[in-house]
Amino acid sequence: MIRDRLLELREIYRRELLESVVPFWLNYSLDRVNGGQFNSLDHDGTVFDTDKSMWLQGRALWMFAKLYNEVEQRPEWLDAARHIYDFIMRCGFDDDGRMFFAVTADGRPLRKRRYLFTETFAVIGLAEYARATGDETSLQRAADTYQLVVDHRRNPGRLEPKVFPQTRRAKAHNASMIMLATTQELRLAAPPDPLYGEVVDDALDQIANHFLDEKAEAVFEVLGADNERLDTDDGRRITPGHAMESAAFVLHEANARGDDALIPPALSMIDYSLARGWDREYGGLLYFVDAEGKPPTRLEWDMKLWWPHAEALYALLLAYHVSGDDRYTRAFEQMHAWTFAHFPDPEYGGWYGYLRRDGSLSTPLKGGMWKGFFHTPRALWLCWRLLGEMLG
Amino acid sequence: MIRDRLLELREIYRRELLESVVPFWLNYSLDRVNGGQFNSLDHDGTVFDTDKSMWLQGRALWMFAKLYNEVEQRPEWLDAARHIYDFIMRCGFDDDGRMFFAVTADGRPLRKRRYLFTETFAVIGLAEYARATGDETSLQRAADTYQLVVDHRRNPGRLEPKVFPQTRRAKAHNASMIMLATTQELRLAAPPDPLYGEVVDDALDQIANHFLDEKAEAVFEVLGADNERLDTDDGRRITPGHAMESAAFVLHEANARGDDALIPPALSMIDYSLARGWDREYGGLLYFVDAEGKPPTRLEWDMKLWWPHAEALYALLLAYHVSGDDRYTRAFEQMHAWTFAHFPDPEYGGWYGYLRRDGSLSTPLKGGMWKGFFHTPRALWLCWRLLGEMLG
């Protein structure tokens, strides 16, 4: 990639992050009455549902604190982080140390689920907030919640499983990916602990040696408990954007450990995901693909969502950076062009989230119970930072 | 509607039912190895996932038995019904009288859910099978399962609620609708019981006086426990096809009771659903609509699904029959034209299920864990029967 283009891209990502996405969420999402962050935002920032997702509180806390720690110590970013931190500490936790999944505007619990994702997003948020503030309570809560997640993962019988384990024992790629990503963030804030190495080793083994299937040229999302392929709809499902997100965490670990052996599997994950997920008809990345071309069953399978595109941008740029292979430049430029042509809203700022296959807008929402201040700003920040590194 | 058109339509619905939809499911869905019915069928009848939905076993049992009881005593229909009946009795029930939601091909339980829909579909299937065969065990199991559902409905604390009731107490239109529809079927087979009248009275009151909101000109799917409107995404959601399905059950009850006071609310339900749900841009019926035009959050909101169209066809024809109002003829003809232009597959038979907003095919599947042998054949049969009645 020529230097002029790197300079140009760096400015595009900086501007999109700091002049569009961050201001949108800073201006419209914070609940100044009850604390925390509203999630359901119309295209112009209007709140259309006041229920709050605890997933998204943890993720937004992480992002605001990360910007403060890594970009610039702007008081309004720390203020937003503190605002969300207070809400999580006040309303996020149940008595058993687990967390609620959704709460009302004023923090009364609506739902608690059997999955532990809320907890992992709180861990990274609390850890990053502790880095920003030196707050010991925040770090301790992050460490305790992490330990709770690890304990549950090692004793899966504690939470009622969705599928009867006596009939079918399965495991999910997202569980390994989230443990890798969560540990990578927590250890930036916490003192060293051998547990982190164990968790990361296990996650890398699961991802690189099992969920990545070199023979099938695919990254599967669900495997049998003994690593066998499941010939079910779930077992054949590929989620290209998710696999590329996972590959970026593996590449970060390759860098952190100085272990180049992790690079080829990560690049395979990106290659296979792009080959299977790029929509040759309309451009953009399909949401779900059946590995054997059997009928898609998830109705949104061919929609274009913001987060797989955000994740693909960074994964492709990082793949280029670690490999120097120009086909990643071409793939990045193609993904960049499609993404920036379809998701950003120059009028009110922020990105749309849900497009139909042809790229037309399916819903004008900018935020919902599944779309918050996370994938887009994280990818913009990571790309901006990497482009800076590439410029030296 | 002129007589020639009635004759023509009657033949279209008969042929579509008996020469396309029934043969497709009879030829491809029955599992001759393990019993019961496969659900996940590709466009050519190939099974692409062997897991079985217990919802759909109950519904298919009902449909095959109904065809046998009401259309013609064809041995292959009774055989299919018996085949599914045996599987349900062998693999459908847990020790507590509740049912599993999904099982493997050979009937081992995969999932059990906190909702009671599997049970209600078994009630109608077992009741109709008892009508076909005089099987006392089937009728007794239907009655016992119905009683279990009623008991749970009257003591909602027994099943863990999705939303903490101390924070938000809500109720759903589908719960009232299903109790109305289930009772209407069970009482065809079972001896009279004052319980049936109580359940139906309550359901009619809920639907006609609460979920139907004449002021808002809408049928809401979720209300607060004290009948208040909820200003949430769920509370604003309208499902036009579901409301029309419900209206048809209300009209059946008007007829069964000779109570004409039930006709105006049922017609309102149909009018409001059509006004809000018909897609003026591409034709067909939208899946979900926000009553106040706020951003849709369910990604499939603008897709065209088979079942709302099937339900709308019968509801509109029935509305014409009870009212004589020609605007229902026009609405029916418009819905008929769009539906028959998009859903049937003349090559292999059966209907597709999932179209994009513009009517193009999103997935080629004919059956899945949510699409079985039910809405399409039921609506075709009901329309055929009603057209016969209208012809005198």
Side-chain angles (χ1 to χ4, degrees):
Chain A
M1 220 183 258
I2 60 166
R3 189 167 173 85
D4 279 359
R5 181 59 178 154
L6 289 175
L7 283 165
E8 189 178 38
L9 284 168
R10 186 174 64 168
E11 176 56 12
I12 289 171
Y13 281 82
R14 186 200 65 77
R15 203 170 51 220
E16 189 66 18
L17 176 67
L18 298 186
E19 297 175 16
S20 171
V21 174
V22 171
F24 180 85
W25 288 90
L26 211 47
N27 290 342
Y28 300 118
S29 74
L30 299 175
D31 178 358
R32 293 295 176 188
V33 175
N34 289 298
Q37 189 190 41
F38 289 120
N39 302 117
S40 296
L41 303 180
D42 206 341
H43 71 113
D44 60 358
T46 310
V47 176
F48 66 87
D49 190 335
T50 62
D51 288 349
K52 289 168 179 165
S53 156
M54 207 48 77
W55 269 40
L56 300 184
Q57 306 294 317
R59 287 172 154 197
L61 169 58
W62 177 85
M63 193 71 238
F64 278 119
K66 186 64 93 180
L67 290 169
Y68 181 82
N69 290 331
E70 303 287 344
V71 175
E72 194 184 324
Q73 298 205 336
R74 292 196 193 173
E76 67 267 32
W77 293 345
L78 187 61
D79 170 70
R82 183 178 301 115
H83 195 78
I84 299 168
Y85 168 77
D86 289 342
F87 188 79
I88 292 173
M89 293 299 273
R90 184 160 55 84
C91 314
F93 288 88
D94 200 355
D95 294 337
D96 59 2
R98 285 207 57 217
M99 298 186 69
F100 299 113
F101 172 77
V103 300
T104 56
D106 58 354
R108 287 169 298 132
L110 285 166
R111 293 185 70 184
K112 185 177 175 184
R113 302 189 76 171
R114 55 185 140 197
Y115 317 107
L116 293 154
F117 290 108
T118 307
E119 287 79 359
T120 62
F121 299 132
V123 169
I124 64 171
L126 296 169
E128 197 64 24
Y129 183 71
R131 286 183 72 207
T133 58
D135 185 320
E136 287 292 331
T137 311
S138 188
L139 184 58
Q140 191 58 51
R141 183 59 73 99
D144 292 348
T145 306
Y146 179 82
Q147 187 65 55
L148 176 144
V149 173
V150 170
D151 290 346
H152 272 97
R153 289 267 299 151
R154 291 180 174 177
N155 303 280
R158 288 195 198 170
L159 296 178
E160 196 200 341
K162 186 170 151 184
V163 171
F164 292 109
Q166 66 270 33
T167 300
R168 181 177 295 155
R169 289 172 57 241
K171 60 185 184 182
H173 171 212
N174 61 12
S176 292
M177 187 191 87
I178 208 69
M179 293 314 293
L180 172 59
T182 303
T183 310
Q184 285 175 337
E185 289 301 313
L186 177 59
R187 72 187 179 196
L188 296 177
D193 186 327
L195 176 62
Y196 302 153
E198 291 168 29
V199 170
V200 169
D201 283 346
D202 174 64
L204 290 171
D205 174 54
Q206 293 293 325
I207 295 169
N209 299 325
H210 300 298
F211 290 105
L212 165 63
D213 184 333
E214 287 282 0
K215 213 171 130 194
E217 304 195 343
V219 180
F220 291 102
E221 293 293 327
V222 174
L223 289 176
D226 300 319
N227 300 314
E228 73 278 20
R229 287 278 314 280
L230 296 177
D231 186 23
T232 62
D233 185 53
D234 280 338
R236 290 189 305 265
R237 182 175 301 117
I238 287 171
T239 313
H242 191 251
M244 292 210 241
E245 180 182 9
S246 187
F249 294 126
V250 175
L251 288 174
H252 284 178
E253 204 58 31
N255 185 51
R257 296 183 167 197
D259 180 0
D260 286 354
L262 290 170
I263 295 176
L267 295 181
S268 287
M269 291 170 75
I270 294 169
D271 294 341
Y272 303 151
S273 302
L274 194 68
R276 289 178 176 275
W278 181 258
D279 183 351
R280 285 166 190 79
E281 197 172 345
Y282 291 101
L285 205 57
L286 298 167
Y287 195 15
F288 299 115
V289 178
D290 185 286
E292 298 173 15
K294 295 188 178 175
T297 61
R298 299 207 175 179
L299 302 193
E300 66 275 31
W301 77 274
D302 67 352
M303 288 179 71
K304 308 291 164 64
L305 270 66
W306 85 104
W307 72 263
H309 291 79
E311 296 305 332
L313 284 173
Y314 179 61
L316 291 168
L317 193 65
L318 188 57
Y320 172 64
H321 180 60
V322 304
S323 73
D325 191 331
D326 257 336
R327 72 201 159 94
Y328 293 117
T329 319
R330 288 190 298 274
F332 170 80
E333 289 285 8
Q334 191 180 38
M335 193 70 70
H336 171 83
W338 203 93
T339 302
F340 276 74
H342 289 91
F343 288 103
D345 171 20
E347 191 180 358
Y348 288 96
W351 283 20
Y352 295 112
Y354 303 92
L355 314 178
R356 301 188 189 95
R357 182 169 187 170
D358 64 7
S360 64
L361 208 57
S362 170
T363 164
L365 68 78
K366 296 265 178 68
M369 295 300 272
W370 302 99
K371 181 178 189 292
F373 183 59
F374 187 65
H375 286 285
T376 304
R378 182 175 74 175
L380 292 171
W381 166 63
L382 287 169
C383 287
W384 174 31
R385 189 180 69 165
L386 182 57
L387 288 158
E389 246 181 81
M390 290 159 79
L391 281 160
Chain B
M1 222 184 258
I2 60 169
R3 189 170 174 84
D4 279 358
R5 181 59 179 154
L6 289 175
L7 283 165
E8 188 177 40
L9 284 168
R10 185 173 64 168
E11 175 58 12
I12 290 171
Y13 280 81
R14 186 200 65 77
R15 202 170 53 222
E16 190 65 18
L17 176 67
L18 297 186
E19 297 175 18
S20 172
V21 174
V22 171
F24 179 87
W25 289 89
L26 211 47
N27 291 341
Y28 300 119
S29 75
L30 299 174
D31 178 358
R32 294 294 175 188
V33 175
N34 289 297
Q37 189 190 41
F38 289 120
N39 303 116
S40 296
L41 303 179
D42 206 343
H43 71 112
D44 61 357
T46 309
V47 176
F48 66 88
D49 190 334
T50 61
D51 288 348
K52 289 169 179 163
S53 156
M54 207 47 79
W55 269 41
L56 300 186
Q57 306 295 317
R59 287 172 157 196
L61 169 59
W62 177 84
M63 192 72 239
F64 279 118
K66 186 65 90 179
L67 290 170
Y68 181 84
N69 290 331
E70 303 287 343
V71 175
E72 194 184 325
Q73 297 205 338
R74 293 197 193 173
E76 67 266 32
W77 293 345
L78 187 61
D79 170 70
R82 184 179 298 113
H83 194 78
I84 299 169
Y85 168 77
D86 289 343
F87 188 80
I88 292 173
M89 294 300 273
R90 184 159 55 83
C91 314
F93 288 88
D94 200 356
D95 294 337
D96 59 2
R98 285 208 56 218
M99 298 187 70
F100 299 113
F101 172 77
V103 300
T104 57
D106 58 354
R108 287 169 299 132
L110 285 167
R111 293 185 70 184
K112 185 177 174 184
R113 302 190 76 171
R114 55 186 140 198
Y115 317 106
L116 292 155
F117 290 107
T118 307
E119 287 79 358
T120 61
F121 299 133
V123 168
I124 64 171
L126 295 169
E128 197 66 25
Y129 183 72
R131 286 183 70 206
T133 59
D135 185 319
E136 287 292 332
T137 311
S138 189
L139 184 60
Q140 190 61 50
R141 183 60 72 100
D144 292 348
T145 306
Y146 179 83
Q147 187 66 54
L148 175 143
V149 173
V150 171
D151 289 346
H152 272 98
R153 289 266 301 151
R154 291 179 174 179
N155 303 280
R158 289 195 198 169
L159 296 178
E160 196 199 341
K162 184 169 152 186
V163 170
F164 291 110
Q166 67 270 34
T167 301
R168 181 177 296 155
R169 290 171 59 240
K171 59 184 185 181
H173 172 212
N174 60 12
S176 292
M177 188 192 86
I178 208 70
M179 293 313 295
L180 173 58
T182 303
T183 310
Q184 286 174 336
E185 289 301 314
L186 177 60
R187 72 187 179 195
L188 296 176
D193 185 327
L195 176 62
Y196 301 152
E198 289 168 30
V199 170
V200 169
D201 283 345
D202 175 63
L204 291 170
D205 174 54
Q206 293 293 324
I207 295 169
N209 299 326
H210 300 298
F211 290 105
L212 165 63
D213 184 332
E214 286 283 2
K215 213 172 131 194
E217 303 194 347
V219 179
F220 291 101
E221 293 293 327
V222 174
L223 289 175
D226 299 319
N227 300 314
E228 73 277 21
R229 286 279 312 281
L230 297 176
D231 186 23
T232 62
D233 186 53
D234 281 338
R236 291 189 304 266
R237 182 175 301 118
I238 287 171
T239 313
H242 191 250
M244 290 209 244
E245 180 182 8
S246 187
F249 295 126
V250 175
L251 288 174
H252 285 176
E253 203 58 32
N255 185 50
R257 296 183 167 197
D259 180 359
D260 286 352
L262 290 169
I263 295 176
L267 295 181
S268 287
M269 292 170 75
I270 293 169
D271 294 341
Y272 302 151
S273 303
L274 195 68
R276 290 178 176 274
W278 181 258
D279 183 351
R280 284 166 191 80
E281 198 172 345
Y282 292 100
L285 206 56
L286 298 167
Y287 195 15
F288 299 116
V289 178
D290 186 286
E292 298 172 16
K294 294 188 178 175
T297 61
R298 300 209 173 176
L299 302 193
E300 67 274 31
W301 76 274
D302 67 352
M303 288 179 71
K304 308 291 164 62
L305 271 65
W306 84 104
W307 72 262
H309 290 80
E311 296 304 333
L313 285 174
Y314 178 62
L316 291 168
L317 192 65
L318 188 57
Y320 172 65
H321 180 61
V322 303
S323 73
D325 191 330
D326 257 334
R327 72 201 160 93
Y328 293 117
T329 318
R330 289 191 297 274
F332 170 81
E333 289 286 7
Q334 191 181 36
M335 193 70 71
H336 171 83
W338 203 94
T339 302
F340 276 73
H342 289 89
F343 287 103
D345 172 20
E347 191 179 359
Y348 289 96
W351 283 20
Y352 294 112
Y354 304 93
L355 314 178
R356 300 188 189 94
R357 182 169 187 170
D358 64 7
S360 63
L361 208 56
S362 171
T363 165
L365 69 77
K366 297 265 177 69
M369 295 299 272
W370 302 99
K371 180 179 189 294
F373 182 60
F374 187 64
H375 286 285
T376 305
R378 182 176 73 175
L380 293 172
W381 166 63
L382 286 169
C383 286
W384 174 29
R385 189 179 71 166
L386 183 56
L387 288 159
E389 247 181 80
M390 288 158 80
L391 281 159

